[in-house]
Every structure is written in structure tokens, then in C-alpha cells.
Amino acid sequence: MAYDPAPLTLAFRRGQLDALVRTHLDPAGLFTPEMQQTLALRQLSQAWAAYREDRGITLGARLVGAECAAERDAFLALLTATLPSPASPLAEAVRTVRRIAVAPLAAEARQAATIAAQSMVQLEAVIATLAGERLPTDPLERLLALIDQHRYSLGPAGDDALGATALSPCWAINLLALARPQAFALTAPPLPLPGLARRRLFRADLSPAKRRDAAREGLLRAMLEAACDLDRIWRATRRFAAEFPQQRSHSRLGSAWLLLVGLEDLTPAQLGRALGVTKAGAGKLLRQLESGGLARSNGMFEPYSCTPIAAAPFAADLY
């Protein structure tokens, strides 16, 4: 019998992530509450990218940008409705994004409410399946069973495989992997994993073997990204401390840096709304970060970008 290393690879990645979560996010761990908020903002941005891909939204790559205000507000409303606690870091991240982003127009707000109301049917169906006792406890088998129960396209004969896949509730599964990670039984201290499922897993013309391989790769990729984000945020704080070692207790520069790490790019006006300072004051903070090599200006009317932060490799070649 041929040796299959795949189950051990998945178990190794789960154990690795468990250890990182306990080290960084436990009450006595390395992360401060502000660093946990940075992680939540990164997770929210990644979840928005997955949501746009799942629902075929081509614009609005920036979570706090002016494009796709209706779709973004519907996404935030759906996420808020599924979060178990309004005091969680993700709930605070949603409030931060609402504070930073330009408020939607009245017509966009109505459109967002319509999108959210129409989407709740699919979302509640996935919630009901996750709450049941029929799903396997193994994470990979659990994800595959969840997909099978919510796959509209059942076979190539007489079915529009691609059309049915486009209408799949993949977005709902990914939203719940963010809001209720404990339901997916991946890590002992539950950690949100944005983009856990891919829409191609719902295709009827994908063989069971290829579906299983693709689902496993998706799990490994999501866990690897989560591990890298934990490491990036820790490295970002050390990098800031090295560049700006003598900060006063009331300085907003560290908060500005962590917001930039969480959202990856910000305009002075957006940073000002986030910190409750003037646009001029926020611009000064961003220029200070740029002088230390932590931020990059992209032009007069463009947002400042966070310079790349390397993460430990975490055996990325495992999948």
C-alpha cells in the first residue's frame, strides 16, 4: 500500500497553528489588545477579498475605499449578524472600517439592506448545517460534507455546472469560517481563517479525488496564511520599536502603524477618522512612518501603503 503523507501534513499544520495561537493570543501571550485588533483588521480585509471572489464582485479591492459601498456594507452587515459577541476583535474591526470608510449614499444603503436580506436565506441554511450533529468531526471531512450538502450542481447530465457553481453559498461558508471558527474544528483555540473554501469545490464536474485534494490544499493554505499573519504582526511591532525607540506615552504613531499594517493602505483622511485627529495631523504621522521606511507614498491623491513585512517560512512547501 502506498504511503499517503497528506493526513500527517494537515495534522502537523494544525499543531503548528495551535502552538502559535496559544503563544500569541492567550491572555498571557505576546499580543497586546491593539495587536489583536490589527490581526482582526487583516482577517477582515482577507475575508472581503474572498467574498468579492465568491460573489463575482470585480471592484472595491480596498475594504475602506469608496467603490462598492453597497456590497461592502452588506458584507459587514452579514458578518455582524453572525458574530457571537459584539465585544470580539472582529466586531471592533467592523466598527473601525465603518468609521474609516466613506458613508454610503441613501440609495447604496438601501441596496446594501436588500443584498443582506436576500443573502440571509443561504447564510442561515449553512448555519443550520453547522449546528447539526451529522457533520464529521475531522476538519477536512467536515468541510467536504458541508460542501456536498450545499452544492446545487449535482452532475453534468442536464445541469449547468458552472452556472450552479456561481450561485453556490461558498461565500457563506467563508463568512462563517471568519465569524464562527469553532464550528470548523480546525484549531483548539479557534482562530478565524478567511478564504477557507474555494468556489471551484462546488463544481459538479470536479471528481471526488480532485475535490478532496483541492479542499486539503485550501485548508493548508488558509492555516499557513494565518500563521504568517501572526508572525508578521509580531515582527511589525519589533520593527516599529527598532525604528522609533523613544515614543512618548501619548504618541499616536504606533497606533497609526498598526492600523496601516492591518489595512495595508490608508489616506491621511482615513487615518484621521480612525484616530480622531485632523487630516493634517494624520498626514504628519504617515510621513513619519515613511521616513522610517515603514510606509510608502503613492502620489498626492493616493493612499500610503505599508511596506512589505516578511514572515517566517513555516515550511510553506508542505502543500
Side-chain angles (χ1 to χ4, degrees):
M1 180 180 294
Y3 170 66
D4 181 10
L8 290 178
T9 300
L10 191 55
F12 173 82
R13 182 68 76 204
R14 290 178 67 194
Q16 184 185 61
L17 194 56
D18 275 346
L20 287 168
V21 169
R22 294 179 191 280
T23 303
H24 291 76
L25 300 180
D26 268 4
L30 298 173
F31 273 27
T32 64
E34 200 168 25
M35 292 163 70
Q36 292 188 37
Q37 279 303 124
T38 303
L39 176 64
L41 284 171
R42 287 186 72 89
Q43 292 167 339
L44 192 59
S45 296
Q46 292 161 5
W48 169 238
Y51 182 88
R52 288 175 54 246
E53 180 180 340
D54 293 342
R55 307 206 79 167
I57 301 170
T58 57
L59 300 175
R62 293 184 62 238
L63 181 59
V64 294
E67 295 177 321
C68 295
E71 289 85 352
R72 181 194 62 223
D73 272 31
F75 161 75
L76 295 176
L78 290 165
L79 176 60
T80 301
T82 58
L83 286 172
S85 169
S88 66
L90 273 170
E92 181 57 35
V94 170
R95 290 190 286 271
T96 299
V97 168
R98 289 193 185 280
R99 187 167 64 249
I100 292 175
V102 176
L105 301 174
E108 292 173 327
R110 289 193 296 271
Q111 184 184 356
T114 300
I115 295 170
Q118 292 173 344
S119 301
M120 282 304 297
V121 176
Q122 280 188 320
L123 185 58
E124 288 173 349
V126 177
I127 290 173
T129 304
L130 281 171
E133 298 179 354
R134 299 180 61 183
L135 291 179
T137 56
D138 177 79
L140 177 59
E141 300 302 329
R142 191 176 183 84
L143 179 60
L144 288 168
L146 183 62
I147 289 168
D148 282 341
Q149 290 195 39
H150 292 277
R151 190 155 51 95
Y152 301 150
S153 182
L154 301 178
D159 284 347
D160 177 8
L162 294 180
T165 302
L167 298 173
S168 73
C170 183
W171 65 269
I173 292 175
N174 283 328
L175 199 70
L176 290 168
L178 178 74
R180 303 184 185 184
Q182 66 277 8
F184 291 82
L186 272 165
T187 57
L191 180 69
L193 294 177
L196 185 63
R198 298 295 178 187
R199 196 166 66 176
R200 69 185 296 261
L201 294 172
F202 291 80
R203 290 182 57 158
D205 53 353
L206 197 65
S207 70
K210 288 185 177 180
R211 180 177 290 110
R212 180 176 297 277
D213 289 343
R216 182 184 292 111
E217 287 180 7
L219 286 174
L220 288 169
R221 186 178 295 108
M223 288 191 283
L224 175 62
E225 285 301 316
C228 288
D229 272 344
L230 288 169
D231 189 57
R232 283 190 189 101
I233 292 170
W234 174 247
R235 288 171 184 254
T237 60
R238 309 313 301 159
R239 184 175 166 187
F240 178 84
E243 291 293 338
F244 300 97
Q246 296 179 339
Q247 288 297 300
R248 296 180 180 178
S249 59
H250 62 276
S251 172
R252 298 293 189 91
L253 191 61
S255 297
W257 168 236
L258 286 178
L259 278 167
L260 193 61
V261 172
L263 291 168
E264 295 189 347
D265 49 46
L266 285 168
T267 65
Q270 289 169 340
L271 181 60
R273 288 194 292 271
L275 297 179
V277 300
T278 64
K279 180 179 176 181
K284 182 179 178 181
L285 292 173
L286 288 169
R287 288 191 295 274
Q288 282 183 268
L289 292 174
E290 184 181 20
S291 70
L294 304 184
R296 181 178 67 250
S297 173
N298 296 302
M300 184 176 295
F301 300 107
E302 295 297 322
Y304 281 74
S305 298
C306 176
T307 54
I309 303 168
F314 291 116
D317 58 347
L318 281 175
Y319 73 94

